[in-house]
Amino acid sequence: MKWVNVLGGVVGAAALLGLGIILGHFAIPKGADVPTPSIFQDLDLEISIMQQLDASRIRENLRELSREPHLASSPQDEALVQLLLQRWRDPESGLDSAEASTYEVLLSFPSREQPNRVAVVSPTGNVLFSCRQSEQNLTGEQGVPDVVPPYAAYAPPGTPQGLLVYANQGTEEDFMKLQAQGIKLEGTIALTRYGGTGRGAKAVNAAKHGVAGVLVYTDPADINDGQSSTNETFPNSWRLPPSGVERGSYYEYFGDPLTPYLPANPSSFRLDPDTASGFPPIPTQPIGFEDAKILLCNLQGASAPAAWQGALGCDYKLGPGFQPNGDFPADSQVNVSVYNRLELRNSSNVLGIIRGAVEPDRYVLYGNHRDSWVHGAVDPSSGTAVLLELSRVLGTLLKKGTWRPRRSIVFASWGAEEFGLIGSTEFTEEFFSKLQERAVAYINVDISVFANATLRAQGTPPVQSVIFAASKQIPAPSLGGLSIYDNWIRYFNRSSPVYGLVPSLGSLGAGSDYAPFIHFLGISSMDIAYTYDRSKTSARIYPTYHTAFDTFGYVDKFVDPGFSSHQAVARTAGSVLLRLSDSLFLPLNVSDYGETLRSFLQAAQQNLGVLLEQHSISLVPLVTAVEKFEGAAGALDQRISALQKATPDPLQVRMLNDQLMLLERTFLNPRAFPEERYYSHVLWAPRTGSVATFPGLANACSRAMNTSLGSPAWAEVQRQLSILVVALEGAAATLRPVADF
């Protein structure tokens, strides 16, 4: 596999050294040039700060950020690095310090000399039909020279050719159904649609069954509520136009592919790119649904199951090959020509620092990635626009000398996220020990506004209370005094055995830069955004996601006219940031983990208990461990309440806050999931088993289900159960009084 070392590392090494000095400096208290903040958070000041966040400024930020395509490592991406540095070094609204750090990472690009191509060819090799190689230029922005053509990043080069089959979403089950129908998959080209499984998994699953190449498209049924005509799609509505193609990374893991667990510094050991794992095994190319319609509606064979049908206006057939009376001769084949190449490129993170006045060695991190596939107005520039406005308001107060937080705030603009969370992962690898020792929480605002209906938040249980508290204080846009919290609960809610009806807080997977912080470092994390009313659309995400139609005009006209939802996210995330950085006691409610643990335990008892008993595996130790945690968390809550009513000793507060901060780390076990890269959190690792319980236990039981008594698979179930018990007992021990070892 060809790869090119494009840029050297001298500048990168110097920048990383500078970044290390800045982060290391946090541990040294500085002479504050502003009054020391009150030991209790000033809520009046918080409200004042939130009112200064300006929707029109966010709008102008977005216009500037999305003016040009800014693919990771491109000159336009570097220009945004300089923009961030300029803003964060501004003498009137800047931060204490700002630096860029550079990593040398492996990225994947299509060839400009040999564009990727998908074509229908006759038995004699004549090209009968070619799919579009670029999206239709509907607004003038899709035709600018720096728009990267649609491609599947990290898909290998190759020119496979074969009969076409339709494989639905490309899951393992989908390919098994095709085989069960007697369809020979060896050497075919599989047409799949987005959804159901990850991008890269479609190619992995296909290759297992001998498929030679994969095509991926977005079906209007999945993104446009079935609408597909030009007058029903962008630029006439927010829906994906027929030529729209979702780009994306098809790499299986996150982080730089050649330096797993090591920062991608020039001196770091690198894997051989020809043998590194995680890349799609066969050539893969995304296409628009207008081209997918021509291919799919000409297939022969049995009709696809009802669940596999879509909205292209024809009966979806399975193939293989084309029908004799269609647009192509029956023995025509599909050729997929992919000419992607791997390159080592320099990619930058930008950090802006506000030094804490009392605890400068405790960091609250707020991050968003900067790079996009094309203009990226929604993803990610809506988040960066909010980030810049929030940092402007706080920086202005800082420069005026009227405010400084208790703890340090680290604003981060991550590079190369779209290729696999690379910038944030390299950062966590480089500063692993420091962040584990000192990071309080990570706030992620990637796409700040998917749509303008309601707040949507994801996070680990301890952050639930601070998000709830912040959202109760902020009015929802255009709803006559209703709070963001009250509006949120109308759209997403659940019944809590502790609190009654509350908004639903989603769990964190690996879809954005929070992943290395929670899964690898065990730092309490959250992701905050505004989203759409799911009762009004079945779209799996906003329709122009990762296409050349995700532009400023798209946001301004369809997603958030007036930018009031952007402002609402800025206020909510900003309030959470201030509460975490300024409160005397960290607003992390560890007791809320008890509800999650109890739910997981009950699911295990109800769905796995009998099966485990048949194999002489008892859940009693797990029950006891959960009870220990609940008791320790409740006792800690009582100690906090008592200290809040007294005049607490600063050392007592510090010790207690460290217990709150470090709880999440106790759930890490780097040996729990040896088959998974970076995943070590025993509560939030990927769950492949069907039971909504502890992921390691669910996955192990799923694999052991049909094996014999005493098999290695059942030994793994026992091992996973032991890992859980030890983690929960360790968590309980962490929450007990520090003197009670």
Side-chain angles (χ1 to χ4, degrees), residues 52 54-62 87 385 389 392:
Q52 294 176 52
D54 189 336
S56 65
R57 285 181 180 269
I58 297 173
R59 182 178 184 272
E60 289 310 307
N61 285 341
L62 184 65
R87 296 284 189 94
E389 174 61 2
R392 180 195 68 83

Side-chain angles (χ1 to χ4, degrees), residues 536-548:
K536 295 182 178 179
T537 178
S538 60
R540 63 182 179 87
I541 197 168
Y542 73 95
T544 65
Y545 174 69
H546 286 189
T547 73

Side-chain angles (χ1 to χ4, degrees), residues 369-447:
H369 75 95
R370 180 185 63 259
D371 64 300
S372 67
W373 287 111
V374 194
H375 293 86
V378 177
D379 182 11
S381 299
S382 65
T384 308
V386 165
L387 168 68
L388 286 174
E389 174 61 2
L390 180 57
S391 62
R392 180 195 68 83
V393 170
L394 296 183
T396 300
L397 294 173
L398 191 70
K399 294 302 184 184
K400 287 180 178 178
T402 58
W403 170 83
R404 182 175 290 278
R406 178 184 183 88
R407 302 175 187 90
S408 294
I409 293 173
V410 181
F411 288 111
S413 172
W414 309 118
E417 186 268 1
E418 295 293 7
F419 287 84
L421 319 182
I422 289 178
S424 55
T425 302
E426 301 315 299
F427 176 77
T428 59
E429 289 169 336
E430 179 160 19
F431 299 104
F432 178 88
S433 297
K434 183 172 292 186
L435 292 169
Q436 277 211 321
E437 292 168 0
R438 304 177 187 176
V440 169
Y442 176 67
I443 303 167
N444 194 69
V445 181
D446 180 342
I447 298 172

